[in-house]
Amino acid sequence: MNGVAVWSGHMFRAATNPVLEAVETTLFAKIALTLARYDVALGYGALAAGADLLVAEALLARGAALHVVLPFGVAAFKAASVSPRGAAWLPRFDAALASAATVTIVAPDADGSDAEVFNRCTQVFMDAGWAAGAGDTVLLAVWDGTPARDLAGTAVDVAQWQARGGVVEIIDPGAVDRSVAPHA
């Protein structure tokens, strides 16, 4: 293995029924196949509920080195980007974080209220992945093609990666539930 990947993707709720479990299993398989096609040995990105965690789990399953970059501290990140999509993501987040080769916190005192800190986080992991892959790094975008509605997000990440001349692999997330979990 010698490929390098960075990733971006939609947050979605943890599977709570057999239909959503099948969607998540299918999505994981698509991610794993894409990582295999690029022979990925190193991955750089965040660990939000949904696509981020599935990519991290797929990287770890293939024995690749996971390099986690979070926009702000772990507790605040979990509150902003993990638990609102369902408590089932929390142990998966903890397991991935514990298995990471490195963990970088971009702005330790920030929180999830500023889209700019998410953009800075993305730039940090994109730059690290780009450097590690000598410009031959792939962006895995678990994305339904929805245009950007904010200053941060998958559509923005795809545009930024393409602007630097990077290869993008778009993986359709399928019928994931992008709503916020009740009582989050």
Side-chain angles (χ1 to χ4, degrees):
M1 292 191 304
N2 61 6
V4 179
V6 297
W7 64 87
S8 180
H10 297 309
M11 289 192 291
F12 54 86
R13 285 189 51 191
T16 55
N17 62 55
V19 172
L20 290 178
E21 287 172 8
V23 170
E24 189 176 309
T25 299
T26 299
L27 181 53
F28 181 88
K30 289 179 188 177
I31 292 166
L33 284 172
T34 304
L35 293 172
R37 190 169 62 250
Y38 285 93
D39 198 28
V40 173
L42 303 171
Y44 295 83
L47 293 177
D52 286 1
L53 277 168
L54 286 183
V55 173
E57 290 170 343
L59 284 163
L60 292 169
R62 66 180 274 106
L66 175 64
H67 297 279
V68 173
V69 181
L70 300 178
F72 35 81
V74 172
F77 184 79
K78 285 169 79 170
S81 299
V82 182
S83 61
R85 304 296 180 182
W89 288 115
L90 293 170
R92 294 169 74 174
F93 172 89
D94 291 337
L97 190 67
S99 298
T102 63
V103 177
T104 303
I105 308 293
V106 174
D109 297 326
D111 60 28
S113 64
D114 180 8
E116 185 52 39
V117 75
F118 288 99
N119 274 339
R120 281 193 315 217
C121 176
T122 300
Q123 289 309 308
V124 168
F125 71 70
M126 283 184 173
D127 290 347
W130 189 266
D136 223 11
T137 303
V138 62
L139 169 66
L140 275 67
V142 181
W143 181 43
D144 62 8
T146 303
R149 294 178 301 222
D150 201 350
L151 300 175
T154 309
V156 173
D157 298 346
V158 168
Q160 289 175 351
W161 193 255
Q162 289 173 327
R164 74 167 65 196
V167 173
V168 176
E169 277 290 326
I170 296 173
I171 301 170
D172 185 338
V176 295
D177 181 354
R178 295 188 58 200
S179 68
V180 174
H183 311 299

